[in-house]
Amino acid sequence: MEEELSSELSSFSNDPTIAEVLNKNVNLQDYSTVLEEQLAESEKICVEAYAGKSKSLAKLQTNIDDCDNILAGMQEMLLGFQADLSGISDEIKHLQEESMTMGVKLRNRRSAEQRVRGFLSNVVISPSLATTICNGVISTTYLAYVIELNEKHTYVSMREPSEDGTSVDIAPLDTVAGKEMRSHIEKLRLKAVEKSREYFINVISELRRAKTNVRMIQTTKLLKYKQLMKFLDAAAPDVHQEVRNIYAESMAKTTSSLFKTYQQQLAKLDSKVAGKHDLICVDEAAVKDMFSTKINMSKRSDPFSLGERGRVLDIKDEKPIMVHIATAEKYPYEMLFRSVMKHLMDAATNEYAFTKQFFADNSREIFHQIYTKTLSLILENLENFLYNCHDAVCLLLMIRLTEANRKTMRQRNANILDNLFDRINMLLWPRLKTIFDNNLKSLKTATPKKLGSVELHPHYISRRYAEFTSSMLTLLKAMDEGAGQKGTEVDAETSTRFGGKEMLKTDLVNLQNAMLKLLTQLSGQHSTNKNKIVFLINNLDSIVCVLQERKVNREEVAKYEERLNQQREQFVEEELRQSYSKLIAFVIQTEGIQKTDKKLELDPAVCESLVRNFSTTWKNGIEQINNNVLSYFSNFRNGMEILKQVLTQLLLYYTRFQGILKKGFKKAPPFAKELVSTNAILAEIKKYALAI
């Protein structure tokens, strides 16, 4: 008891109020009585307050009871809902499990259905497919069914499970359905092969008909069904080979026939520019009219003149000659050659493009099967032409055309005619060399008797030589310029291989030397040195004029101009010596002596004679010089140039003569008054040569 009391006292001592009372030493008995009274008073007040609120409290109690009843009902309802929800949750879980199971089953069934459907679509033959393959005609629909049939055959022939999984883990060939359907598919394939073969052979037979549009048939009836050829290659290689051989044979006959006919028709249009007698040096009779002794100017240089013939290089890509339209026209052979090659290249390009698409890997082999005969025919015709060809201009143009054609075919990515171009070059270059050699031989073996009378005017061989040389140089220059351009490596390669350009340059140098030697030989037919010089000037001037007209390389023209100027200088001296030989001899002799003897004394009588002779004859002398020049030189421009040189040299000699007199006489001699003034001479000269 004491412990409990102590414990209680200890706990009460912690109360602040009790602690305060104890600290004040208050009488606890009295303080207890006071507290009891306060407590009783408080209880009384509380009872009165409760009694005053009794109705409200009763009503509140009633409300609380009602709420308790409602909450109890709600609790029962919620407990019922909880029980229902617990049942539904179980049911949902069951449905979820069933749904997942059904989903897995559905996916499995769909996968199986897809594989089975894929397997069946790859194996089963539809009635429409079988009917079309057996009874249908070749069309795009038939082609689609053949492709489908071939795909089915590929599938049922697989010895490994298909990659798409349609045969599960079994090879289609090992399935019961695959084994059963394979035999049916094979039979349908054989039927498709039969009908495809029949179709292609019938279409190919159309190619052999006359006036057939081969390109249209190839496009609309063959290329359209190129998949059938691919099918034949896979299903029946022997049939594919048969069709290919029939096509190659048919096209070979058609193509060779077309080109044979075309070349025969073109041959009738050949103008035959040159013959075996068309050399630089020919008998005079060959260039004369039949009923005249005069030289026919139209025969002087036609075989050697380039003229408009060079235009063939500019129109090389234009359409070939239409024979039925051009029956009344004539063309040089290079135009006919251009047409044949243009026709050949277009046809070969189209055929090569067709065979690449239609026969795929065997395109080049088939192309050569088709065109071997045609190319041989073209080469044979070319050889026949070259056997009697004497037209160097034609051959060089054909060489240029051949290299241009090679470049064109390479730009088309169809370098299938390179062997032909090489063989053509191997025919053209040697023949060109032969023609050069023949012309060179004609120059070396020519004699004045063979060439007829040699007059002062240009000889006809000069014109022929100039035309020949200018044509060769013009075409050679074009080859040099072309070799430096991008994309012309072929030209340089071919020229190097055959030594063409170097051969031409060497032969032209040889021709030049032989021609100059022949002109010198012909000039010997004239009795006087002056006439020899006039002959050489006229012929060299004729050559220079032609070269300049043809716009030949300036360096080549300069070679002849240098020799022409040398002859002009000689003519000037010869012409002046004819009328003023004493004056010229005096000037030259005196000037030579004055170089060593500064105090040379002149003979007044000689000087007076020279002065009076010149003063009385100089006008007539100038007139005579003018008349001589005009009669000697048919080319007015050349004559005026020579006249200026002669008169200028005359004025120079007379000026030097006057200088000698001034130095030789300290005092002007009496005859000095008779000296003709330089201005007077210039005035007279201007009457004949205004440019001086």
Side-chain angles (χ1 to χ4, degrees), residues 90-265:
D90 294 338
E91 186 175 351
I92 289 174
K93 289 180 179 178
H94 177 69
L95 290 175
Q96 285 179 338
E97 292 176 357
E98 286 189 353
S99 176
M100 292 176 64
T101 302
M102 292 176 67
V104 172
K105 291 179 178 179
L106 178 61
R107 285 194 296 273
N108 292 339
R109 288 177 181 177
R110 285 180 176 175
S111 176
E113 179 186 3
Q114 184 177 2
R115 293 187 179 187
V116 171
R117 184 185 294 113
F119 179 79
L120 292 177
S121 65
N122 288 325
V123 172
V124 174
I125 300 172
S126 66
S128 60
L129 185 150
T131 302
T132 303
I133 292 294
C134 294
N135 304 320
V137 296
I138 301 299
S139 63
T140 53
T141 302
Y142 191 93
L143 176 60
Y145 278 127
V146 169
I147 294 173
E148 181 181 349
L149 179 66
N150 203 43
E151 290 174 351
K152 292 180 185 297
H153 179 269
T154 302
Y155 184 82
V156 299
S157 300
M158 295 175 62
R159 298 183 180 276
E160 298 291 337
S162 61
E163 294 182 359
D164 58 3
T166 53
S167 64
V168 193
D169 295 329
I170 306 173
L173 182 61
D174 296 333
T175 63
V176 176
K179 293 177 180 179
E180 180 181 350
M181 295 305 299
R182 192 168 187 269
S183 61
H184 297 297
I185 292 174
E186 287 285 359
K187 293 177 181 178
L188 287 175
R189 288 183 87 214
L190 292 176
K191 188 64 178 178
V193 168
E194 178 186 348
K195 293 184 76 67
S196 298
R197 175 186 177 277
E198 180 182 357
Y199 171 79
F200 284 126
I201 290 177
N202 289 336
V203 172
I204 291 170
S205 66
E206 295 180 21
L207 298 174
R208 295 195 290 267
R209 297 175 186 171
K211 299 181 180 180
T212 298
N213 189 328
V214 174
R215 185 61 180 164
M216 182 177 293
I217 291 177
Q218 288 178 335
T219 304
T220 59
K221 294 187 177 182
L222 292 178
L223 276 181
K224 187 177 181 180
Y225 301 109
K226 63 181 180 180
Q227 290 295 330
L228 279 182
M229 279 300 291
K230 188 176 181 181
F231 164 72
L232 286 180
D233 192 20
D238 55 334
V239 175
H240 179 272
Q241 181 69 32
E242 178 189 8
V243 172
R244 191 181 77 174
N245 291 341
I246 292 174
Y247 174 82
E249 181 181 353
S250 299
M251 281 302 297
K253 291 180 179 179
T254 300
T255 305
S256 62
S257 176
L258 287 173
F259 275 93
K260 182 178 181 180
T261 303
Y262 184 61
Q263 287 191 300
Q264 288 175 346
Q265 293 172 334

Side-chain angles (χ1 to χ4, degrees), residues 222-451:
L222 292 178
L223 276 181
K224 187 177 181 180
Y225 301 109
K226 63 181 180 180
Q227 290 295 330
L228 279 182
M229 279 300 291
K230 188 176 181 181
F231 164 72
L232 286 180
D233 192 20
D238 55 334
V239 175
H240 179 272
Q241 181 69 32
E242 178 189 8
V243 172
R244 191 181 77 174
N245 291 341
I246 292 174
Y247 174 82
E249 181 181 353
S250 299
M251 281 302 297
K253 291 180 179 179
T254 300
T255 305
S256 62
S257 176
L258 287 173
F259 275 93
K260 182 178 181 180
T261 303
Y262 184 61
Q263 287 191 300
Q264 288 175 346
Q265 293 172 334
L266 282 180
K268 299 176 183 178
L269 307 180
D270 187 2
S271 59
K272 293 182 171 56
V273 176
K276 64 179 181 179
H277 298 297
D278 285 310
L279 301 171
I280 295 176
C281 284
V282 294
D283 291 345
E284 187 180 27
V287 290
K288 284 185 177 180
D289 283 329
M290 184 179 299
F291 304 105
S292 173
T293 58
K294 294 183 178 180
I295 293 176
N296 186 343
M297 302 302 285
S298 64
K299 294 184 178 181
R300 292 189 311 171
S301 56
D302 284 350
F304 310 118
S305 176
L306 182 60
E308 291 296 320
R309 296 175 69 181
R311 182 172 170 270
V312 69
L313 299 174
D314 299 326
I315 63 171
K316 61 182 177 61
D317 295 324
E318 293 186 7
K319 294 181 179 180
I321 295 173
M322 307 299 290
V323 178
H324 62 282
I325 297 176
T327 52
E329 299 184 41
K330 295 291 183 180
Y331 300 90
Y333 188 83
E334 66 270 10
M335 289 290 288
L336 308 183
F337 177 77
R338 180 202 76 84
S339 292
V340 171
M341 296 307 295
K342 173 62 176 173
H343 192 26
L344 173 66
M345 289 194 300
D346 290 344
T349 301
N350 289 333
E351 187 62 41
Y352 183 61
F354 168 78
T355 54
K356 281 181 69 176
Q357 296 180 65
F358 196 64
F359 295 107
D361 297 337
N362 301 314
S363 58
R364 188 173 287 271
E365 176 186 347
I366 297 171
F367 173 83
H368 288 299
Q369 281 183 263
I370 295 170
Y371 272 86
T372 296
K373 187 175 181 180
T374 300
L375 300 183
S376 298
L377 176 65
I378 290 174
L379 288 172
E380 181 182 351
N381 286 337
L382 180 59
E383 287 178 353
N384 292 336
F385 165 75
L386 293 177
Y387 183 76
N388 291 313
C389 176
H390 304 275
D391 188 352
V393 174
C394 173
L395 295 185
L396 198 50
L397 285 172
M398 289 168 65
I399 290 171
R400 292 285 312 282
L401 282 172
T402 300
E403 297 315 314
N405 292 338
R406 188 196 298 268
K407 179 182 176 183
T408 298
M409 292 301 289
R410 292 195 175 183
Q411 288 174 342
R412 295 179 181 180
N413 293 322
N415 54 336
I416 46 179
L417 297 178
D418 281 355
N419 289 337
L420 172 68
F421 296 143
D422 286 341
R423 294 189 64 182
I424 289 174
N425 276 319
M426 291 174 67
L427 293 173
L428 295 178
W429 281 111
R431 185 58 189 175
L432 181 60
K433 174 62 175 173
T434 299
I435 294 175
F436 259 94
D437 290 343
N438 290 340
N439 279 281
L440 179 60
K441 182 179 178 181
S442 74
L443 288 172
K444 290 182 176 180
T445 60
T447 60
K449 182 178 179 181
K450 176 182 177 181
L451 299 178

